[in-house]
mmCIF file of all heavy atoms in Angstrom:
data_model
loop_
_atom_site.group_PDB
_atom_site.id
_atom_site.type_symbol
_atom_site.label_atom_id
_atom_site.label_comp_id
_atom_site.label_asym_id
_atom_site.label_seq_id
_atom_site.Cartn_x
_atom_site.Cartn_y
_atom_site.Cartn_z
ATOM 1 N N ALA U 46 13.282 -0.127 -8.482
ATOM 2 C CA ALA U 46 11.877 -0.474 -8.227
ATOM 3 C C ALA U 46 11.740 -1.910 -7.736
ATOM 4 O O ALA U 46 10.879 -2.219 -6.918
ATOM 5 C CB ALA U 46 11.051 -0.273 -9.490
ATOM 6 N N ALA U 47 12.616 -2.793 -8.231
ATOM 7 C CA ALA U 47 12.565 -4.202 -7.836
ATOM 8 C C ALA U 47 13.336 -4.468 -6.548
ATOM 9 O O ALA U 47 13.301 -5.576 -6.019
ATOM 10 C CB ALA U 47 13.129 -5.082 -8.958
ATOM 11 N N GLY U 48 14.046 -3.461 -6.052
ATOM 12 C CA GLY U 48 14.791 -3.610 -4.807
ATOM 13 C C GLY U 48 16.049 -4.444 -4.937
ATOM 14 O O GLY U 48 16.456 -5.118 -3.991
ATOM 15 N N VAL U 49 16.684 -4.360 -6.118
ATOM 16 C CA VAL U 49 17.937 -5.096 -6.335
ATOM 17 C C VAL U 49 19.028 -4.105 -6.719
ATOM 18 O O VAL U 49 18.758 -2.948 -7.064
ATOM 19 C CB VAL U 49 17.769 -6.186 -7.430
ATOM 20 C CG1 VAL U 49 16.758 -7.232 -6.999
ATOM 21 C CG2 VAL U 49 17.389 -5.588 -8.764
ATOM 22 N N ARG U 50 20.268 -4.566 -6.677
ATOM 23 C CA ARG U 50 21.394 -3.720 -7.076
ATOM 24 C C ARG U 50 21.347 -3.456 -8.577
ATOM 25 O O ARG U 50 20.883 -4.304 -9.342
ATOM 26 C CB ARG U 50 22.702 -4.397 -6.709
ATOM 27 C CG ARG U 50 22.882 -4.523 -5.207
ATOM 28 C CD ARG U 50 24.112 -5.278 -4.849
ATOM 29 N NE ARG U 50 25.054 -5.327 -5.964
ATOM 30 C CZ ARG U 50 26.328 -5.597 -5.866
ATOM 31 N NH1 ARG U 50 26.827 -5.875 -4.700
ATOM 32 N NH2 ARG U 50 27.109 -5.630 -6.918
ATOM 33 N N PRO U 51 21.832 -2.302 -9.030
ATOM 34 C CA PRO U 51 21.777 -1.962 -10.450
ATOM 35 C C PRO U 51 22.347 -3.011 -11.410
ATOM 36 O O PRO U 51 21.750 -3.249 -12.470
ATOM 37 C CB PRO U 51 22.550 -0.647 -10.538
ATOM 38 C CG PRO U 51 22.322 -0.027 -9.198
ATOM 39 C CD PRO U 51 22.321 -1.191 -8.220
ATOM 40 N N PRO U 52 23.450 -3.698 -11.085
ATOM 41 C CA PRO U 52 23.943 -4.703 -12.033
ATOM 42 C C PRO U 52 23.008 -5.908 -12.202
ATOM 43 O O PRO U 52 23.176 -6.698 -13.121
ATOM 44 C CB PRO U 52 25.276 -5.159 -11.428
ATOM 45 C CG PRO U 52 25.669 -4.099 -10.472
ATOM 46 C CD PRO U 52 24.400 -3.491 -9.984
ATOM 47 N N ALA U 53 22.009 -6.039 -11.330
ATOM 48 C CA ALA U 53 21.087 -7.171 -11.411
ATOM 49 C C ALA U 53 20.034 -6.975 -12.492
ATOM 50 O O ALA U 53 19.291 -7.903 -12.801
ATOM 51 C CB ALA U 53 20.405 -7.395 -10.062
ATOM 52 N N ALA U 54 19.954 -5.798 -13.088
ATOM 53 C CA ALA U 54 19.009 -5.535 -14.178
ATOM 54 C C ALA U 54 19.806 -5.216 -15.441
ATOM 55 O O ALA U 54 20.682 -4.355 -15.425
ATOM 56 C CB ALA U 54 18.098 -4.370 -13.826
ATOM 57 N N ARG U 55 19.500 -5.930 -16.514
ATOM 58 C CA ARG U 55 20.232 -5.710 -17.759
ATOM 59 C C ARG U 55 19.328 -5.917 -18.962
ATOM 60 O O ARG U 55 18.391 -6.696 -18.929
ATOM 61 C CB ARG U 55 21.460 -6.593 -17.844
ATOM 62 C CG ARG U 55 21.179 -8.052 -17.790
ATOM 63 C CD ARG U 55 22.420 -8.831 -17.325
ATOM 64 N NE ARG U 55 22.046 -10.078 -16.707
ATOM 65 C CZ ARG U 55 21.642 -10.225 -15.453
ATOM 66 N NH1 ARG U 55 21.552 -9.200 -14.665
ATOM 67 N NH2 ARG U 55 21.309 -11.394 -14.984
ATOM 68 N N LEU U 56 19.663 -5.222 -20.011
ATOM 69 C CA LEU U 56 18.912 -5.287 -21.248
ATOM 70 C C LEU U 56 19.285 -6.553 -22.006
ATOM 71 O O LEU U 56 20.469 -6.833 -22.209
ATOM 72 C CB LEU U 56 19.256 -4.046 -22.082
ATOM 73 C CG LEU U 56 18.337 -3.688 -23.205
ATOM 74 C CD1 LEU U 56 16.943 -3.385 -22.691
ATOM 75 C CD2 LEU U 56 18.882 -2.472 -23.933
ATOM 76 N N ARG U 57 18.295 -7.329 -22.401
ATOM 77 C CA ARG U 57 18.536 -8.555 -23.156
ATOM 78 C C ARG U 57 18.243 -8.379 -24.636
ATOM 79 O O ARG U 57 18.871 -8.996 -25.476
ATOM 80 C CB ARG U 57 17.675 -9.704 -22.612
ATOM 81 C CG ARG U 57 18.207 -10.290 -21.355
ATOM 82 C CD ARG U 57 19.555 -10.825 -21.661
ATOM 83 N NE ARG U 57 19.996 -11.718 -20.625
ATOM 84 C CZ ARG U 57 21.244 -12.065 -20.465
ATOM 85 N NH1 ARG U 57 22.167 -11.596 -21.249
ATOM 86 N NH2 ARG U 57 21.589 -12.878 -19.510
ATOM 87 N N ARG U 58 17.237 -7.556 -24.947
ATOM 88 C CA ARG U 58 16.840 -7.358 -26.333
ATOM 89 C C ARG U 58 16.226 -5.974 -26.485
ATOM 90 O O ARG U 58 15.602 -5.462 -25.567
ATOM 91 C CB ARG U 58 15.774 -8.386 -26.704
ATOM 92 C CG ARG U 58 16.025 -9.050 -28.013
ATOM 93 C CD ARG U 58 14.991 -10.078 -28.374
ATOM 94 N NE ARG U 58 14.687 -10.979 -27.267
ATOM 95 C CZ ARG U 58 13.513 -11.532 -27.087
ATOM 96 N NH1 ARG U 58 12.520 -11.279 -27.889
ATOM 97 N NH2 ARG U 58 13.303 -12.345 -26.074
ATOM 98 N N GLY U 59 16.390 -5.373 -27.662
ATOM 99 C CA GLY U 59 15.711 -4.133 -27.983
ATOM 100 C C GLY U 59 16.468 -2.866 -27.666
ATOM 101 O O GLY U 59 15.865 -1.831 -27.411
ATOM 102 N N SER U 60 17.783 -2.906 -27.732
ATOM 103 C CA SER U 60 18.567 -1.729 -27.346
ATOM 104 C C SER U 60 18.272 -0.510 -28.212
ATOM 105 O O SER U 60 18.403 0.613 -27.750
ATOM 106 C CB SER U 60 20.062 -2.035 -27.385
ATOM 107 O OG SER U 60 20.464 -2.356 -28.699
ATOM 108 N N GLY U 61 17.832 -0.719 -29.442
ATOM 109 C CA GLY U 61 17.582 0.415 -30.334
ATOM 110 C C GLY U 61 16.126 0.763 -30.534
ATOM 111 O O GLY U 61 15.815 1.689 -31.268
ATOM 112 N N GLY U 62 15.222 0.059 -29.888
ATOM 113 C CA GLY U 62 13.802 0.323 -30.096
ATOM 114 C C GLY U 62 13.067 0.591 -28.798
ATOM 115 O O GLY U 62 13.643 0.523 -27.710
#
Side-chain angles (χ1 to χ4, degrees):
V49 297
R50 294 176 19 161
R55 60 203 154 279
L56 197 61
R57 282 299 196 198
R58 226 179 313 149
S60 63

